[in-house]
Amino acid sequence: SLDEGLLERFDRQIEREGYPTRSKAIADLMGTALVQREWKAGGEVAAGIVMVYDHHKRDLVNKLTSIQHDYHHLIISSQHIHLDHDHCLEMVVVRGDSRQVETLARRLKSTKGVKHSAIAAATTGGAL
Ligand code: NI
């Protein structure tokens, strides 16, 4: 009962994306919707938070460390990569209440001196 034009556009799009079957593409969309719902409902989620910053910025490393200690109960691991002489990339992997994870990500991102920060909002997998 789907609109034929819509179905054609969808099939062209998923072919470009390399999906082997339409059902795999639809299952992925359903998974994305369920994960988004998990985040909105305030359930337990998993995520990666990435930050790029200049470690020479005064007090910045201390501030970022201090924020992470405020949320130590969420943090599973963190990895620090020295990108070049000035820049660091830090990847923090978290698991816990979605609202707390969002607050942590927002606090890290809004810290003065952080050049880029993004969150990969994932799932613990149970709801899929
Ligand atoms: Ni570094």
Side-chain angles (χ1 to χ4, degrees):
S1 65
L2 283 171
D3 177 85
E4 267 183 42
L6 177 64
L7 202 55
E8 276 172 30
R9 287 193 297 280
F10 185 72
D11 283 346
R12 276 201 302 274
Q13 175 66 28
I14 65 176
E15 197 186 331
R16 276 195 294 271
E17 290 178 15
Y19 276 100
T21 61
R22 186 191 287 156
S23 60
K24 166 62 177 152
I26 291 170
D28 274 10
L29 288 174
M30 292 166 85
T32 300
L34 288 169
V35 170
Q36 283 173 352
R37 183 162 295 196
E38 259 185 352
W39 277 78
K40 277 188 190 142
E44 191 191 41
V45 297
I49 302 167
V50 66
M51 297 169 273
V52 174
Y53 57 85
D54 181 340
H55 70 95
H56 295 115
K57 282 268 179 195
R58 199 165 171 270
D59 259 357
L60 179 56
V61 175
N62 282 339
K63 278 181 192 157
L64 294 175
T65 302
S66 175
I67 292 167
Q68 288 182 57
H69 275 270
D70 286 346
Y71 294 86
H72 65 88
H73 56 289
L74 298 179
I75 296 175
I76 297 167
S77 78
S78 72
Q79 189 173 21
H80 182 119
I81 292 108
H82 311 303
L83 291 174
D84 58 29
H85 181 75
D86 303 317
H87 294 99
C88 306
L89 182 148
E90 208 168 318
M91 179 65 155
V92 182
V93 178
V94 295
R95 175 189 196 140
D97 178 86
S98 64
R99 294 191 177 113
Q100 289 183 39
V101 170
E102 281 172 338
T103 306
L104 168 61
R106 212 165 32 238
R107 282 189 61 187
L108 293 170
K109 188 185 180 110
S110 63
T111 301
K112 196 179 170 200
V114 174
K115 290 189 167 185
H116 174 77
S117 181
I119 183 167
T123 173
T124 56
L128 297 183

